[in-house]
């Protein structure tokens, strides 16, 4: 299974996805689910690969917030 690293940027209401290893992978979507689907479609069309793993690299503003434990 091939792994693709995909950088995500946020522009207005859109998410833009760029492949890091393969610069031709570029797509957009409004949600991460849509990005995931669109990137898989681009990879299938460009490389005829369907069994791939995607690693999305999110900007800091989209990173999940860690829960802070409260001292009791």
């Amino acid at each position: 299974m091939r792994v693709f690293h995909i950088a995500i940027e946020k522009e207005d209401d859109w998410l833009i996805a760029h492949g890091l290893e393969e610069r031709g992978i570029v797509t957009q979507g409004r949600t991460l689910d849509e990005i995931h689907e669109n990137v898989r479609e681009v990879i299938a069309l460009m490389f005829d690969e369907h069994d791939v793993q995607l690693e999305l690299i999110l900007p800091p503003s989209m990173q999940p917030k860690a829960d802070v434990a409260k001292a009791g």
Side-chain angles (χ1 to χ4, degrees), residues 18-71:
H18 303 272
L20 296 182
E21 295 90 3
E22 300 287 348
R23 293 294 183 178
I25 298 173
V26 179
T27 189
Q28 65 184 19
R30 294 213 184 254
T31 66
L32 287 176
D33 286 340
E34 190 175 342
I35 286 290
H36 196 266
E37 211 174 288
N38 292 349
V39 168
R40 285 187 175 281
E41 183 177 348
V42 169
I43 291 169
L45 291 170
M46 288 181 67
F47 307 109
D48 195 30
E49 292 194 46
H50 302 275
D51 186 25
V52 298
Q53 178 180 340
L54 303 180
E55 291 191 15
L56 302 182
I57 301 163
L58 303 174
S61 63
M62 293 181 66
Q63 294 289 335
K65 305 256 189 285
D67 290 337
V68 177
K70 294 181 181 179

